[in-house]
Amino acid sequence: MTMFERFQTRLKHYYQSYKKSSINENLILTDIASADLHGSLSKLLNAKYLEDAQENQQKLYTGIRFGQGRLMFSLPTKIKNKTKNAIYLLDTSSPFNYLCEETITAFKVEIPTATFAISISGINCDALVSGIITHFSEMNILGSDFLHKSKAILNFDFEKDVFKIHLR
């Protein structure tokens, strides 16, 4: 397959993913980029983005408010047999979880063309690829699918700019 044919195939996949999800029309991220995930967010969350991690089933995580009020946190994410620290944007209006290409590539797996299985802090769920034609192509999104499967309890403290997610 030529490079052009691979590009056409990927573009078709992203367009199909784009059509399936309403989040693509509602979520605009102009204040956070990949450099923030590797830099300031990794430091603030005390977890280096995409570094190898131990899969754990910790039940309480603390996140921060970043950029224009974005709720961000780091969770151990497993694809196949590898676990890495992934930084997520919490988006309760998204029905789906998304991983960006950079995150998927760090696991040394092929970019999926449909939903794919992941484990986040020991909770099995599905994810889609953050499409290249979306406003969140460099971002991992934690949606209501994960919140529902983990039976999460969210606690927000906007005075201190921190929030906690308790997984059950």
Side-chain angles (χ1 to χ4, degrees):
M1 182 181 283
T2 68
M3 187 185 324
F4 181 71
E5 290 170 328
R6 282 195 310 268
F7 176 75
Q8 281 184 313
T9 302
R10 288 180 71 197
L11 190 58
K12 181 179 177 183
H13 156 69
Y14 289 126
Y15 179 70
Q16 289 169 347
S17 291
Y18 178 80
K19 289 188 341 184
K20 288 180 186 175
S21 173
S22 62
I23 187 176
N24 295 297
E25 298 167 9
N26 297 328
L27 180 62
I28 298 175
L29 288 173
T30 57
D31 55 324
I32 303 175
S34 178
D36 297 311
L37 299 175
H38 288 279
S40 52
L41 276 165
S42 286
K43 289 177 187 170
L44 291 167
L45 292 167
N46 295 319
K48 190 171 180 185
Y49 182 51
L50 300 180
E51 184 175 78
D52 289 342
Q54 296 294 318
E55 182 179 28
N56 66 51
Q57 296 184 3
Q58 181 178 328
K59 297 299 180 190
L60 183 64
Y61 292 90
T62 300
I64 60 167
R65 200 166 66 94
F66 186 83
Q68 296 174 354
R70 310 293 186 181
L71 301 176
M72 308 294 296
F73 55 96
S74 177
L75 292 171
T77 301
K78 182 177 182 179
I79 299 177
K80 297 191 177 183
N81 60 350
K82 293 182 183 174
T83 304
K84 297 194 174 285
N85 291 324
I87 296 176
Y88 290 90
L89 165 70
L90 175 64
D91 184 356
T92 59
S93 70
S94 172
F96 305 112
N97 307 302
Y98 290 87
L99 292 182
C100 67
E101 276 192 36
E102 180 182 19
T103 297
I104 296 167
T105 302
F107 284 92
K108 296 183 174 35
V109 296
E110 291 277 330
I111 303 293
T113 58
T115 60
F116 57 100
I118 64 174
S119 174
I120 303 172
S121 191
I123 310 283
N124 295 325
C125 54
D126 293 321
L128 293 167
V129 180
S130 301
I132 57 172
I133 58 173
T134 65
H135 296 290
F136 60 98
S137 62
E138 297 181 350
M139 191 60 50
N140 303 307
I141 306 293
L142 199 68
S144 60
D145 172 62
F146 174 79
L147 298 175
H148 176 74
K149 287 180 179 172
S150 67
K151 298 176 177 61
I153 297 172
L154 303 173
N155 184 324
F156 301 93
D157 185 339
F158 285 96
E159 183 178 344
K160 295 179 182 173
D161 281 340
V162 297
F163 74 96
K164 296 183 188 275
I165 182 169
H166 182 261
L167 311 176
R168 295 190 276 163

